Amino acid sequence: MYNPTVARLTYRALLGRRRALILFALPALLILIAAAVRMFNGADDQVAADVLGGFALATMVPLIGVIAGTGAIGPEIDDGSIVYLLSKPVKRPTIIFTKLIVAIAVTMVFSAVPTLIAGFVLNGNGQQVAVAYTVAALVASIAYSALFLLLGTVSRHAVVIGLVYALVWEALFGSLIAGARTLSVQQWALALAEKVTGDSLISSDVALPTAVALLAGVTVGATWFAGHKLRTLTLAGEE
């Protein structure tokens, strides 16, 4: 199910000059903010939770997920270069699974690792805040990657749709409408973070068993459907 050649090509596309600048800029900004907050405010567990929850998990992780998930396949479909890949003797579900693994790896490296570093900078992992948000970033990276990879497979406007979901649905509607939080990857990830801290610093509107089931369901469902859509994509020579 994993093809090293497809993985190498996907890594090269994702870590190209333009995307790499954005991927490095967001984590650098998070660590810079964490250092500034620590310098002016000192070590404070609640402030650390607010910064990691408000910027790292709510903004940085989904944005990196959009870049990695849609960028893993969207540009190839848009410019037609996917035809070259589909003409090779590689099963199409294998292509999707490989690209998903690459997208997850990139999202985790550029979101979970900076989150952990920022957490230690903010309060030295007091009350397990840094670890809790790192766990949340890790599981959110998986779901976001699968979801945005699916968007990149089915729509030429995947980046716009992904940004609308991440910044409008989760950040705006999620903060105003309680029911919208149930359909939020961020809230599902927060349920695991809440379990790690075990106190009132982190809270989620979704119960842990429900969150785990939804994370698994979205990841598996999005991956399967993306493979199905790619399988039904017809090459000109096959018509």
Side-chain angles (χ1 to χ4, degrees):
M1 290 297 293
Y2 181 85
N3 186 284
T5 301
V6 174
R8 185 175 66 254
L9 294 172
T10 306
Y11 275 118
R12 185 181 302 170
L14 285 179
L15 299 178
R17 183 175 302 175
R18 184 177 302 176
R19 287 193 180 89
L21 287 175
I22 302 175
L23 289 172
F24 279 104
L26 288 169
L29 180 59
L30 171 64
I31 295 173
L32 182 62
I33 291 172
V37 170
R38 177 62 183 267
M39 181 183 301
F40 292 107
N41 196 72
D44 186 295
D45 295 341
Q46 185 60 60
V47 171
D50 291 342
V51 172
L52 295 180
F55 183 80
L57 190 61
T59 303
M60 184 185 73
V61 179
L63 286 179
I64 291 177
V66 169
I67 296 169
T70 61
I73 195 169
E76 290 177 293
I77 294 178
D78 291 342
D79 63 20
S81 61
I82 190 70
V83 172
Y84 171 79
L85 186 59
L86 296 181
S87 66
K88 300 300 179 182
V90 181
K91 294 181 179 179
R92 299 185 186 188
T94 298
I95 295 173
I96 289 295
F97 183 77
T98 302
K99 287 181 174 294
L100 175 63
I101 295 299
V102 173
I104 289 173
V106 170
T107 306
M108 284 183 171
V109 168
F110 285 95
S111 61
V113 174
T115 297
L116 181 64
I117 295 172
F120 273 94
V121 170
L122 284 163
N123 75 332
N125 195 36
Q127 298 193 55
Q128 297 294 305
V129 170
V131 171
Y133 275 105
T134 300
V135 170
L138 288 170
V139 297
S141 295
I142 298 173
Y144 280 133
S145 296
L147 185 60
F148 296 137
L149 179 65
L150 171 61
L151 285 177
T153 306
V154 302
S155 174
R156 291 181 178 272
H157 308 290
V159 173
V160 175
I161 298 172
L163 291 175
V164 168
Y165 173 79
L167 300 180
V168 177
W169 178 264
E170 290 203 340
L172 180 59
F173 288 168
S175 64
L176 299 175
I177 305 172
R181 299 182 192 127
T182 305
L183 300 177
S184 168
V185 174
Q186 177 187 340
Q187 290 296 322
W188 305 342
L190 280 174
L192 278 81
E194 182 181 7
K195 180 66 174 179
V196 174
T197 58
D199 56 33
S200 60
L201 275 177
I202 303 174
S203 62
S204 172
D205 290 344
V206 182
L208 182 59
T210 303
V212 172
L214 289 171
L215 283 165
V218 165
T219 302
V220 173
T223 304
W224 176 85
F225 193 60
H228 172 73
K229 292 299 292 184
L230 194 64
R231 192 185 300 117
T232 58
L233 185 65
T234 303
L235 299 178
E238 296 175 343
E239 295 177 348

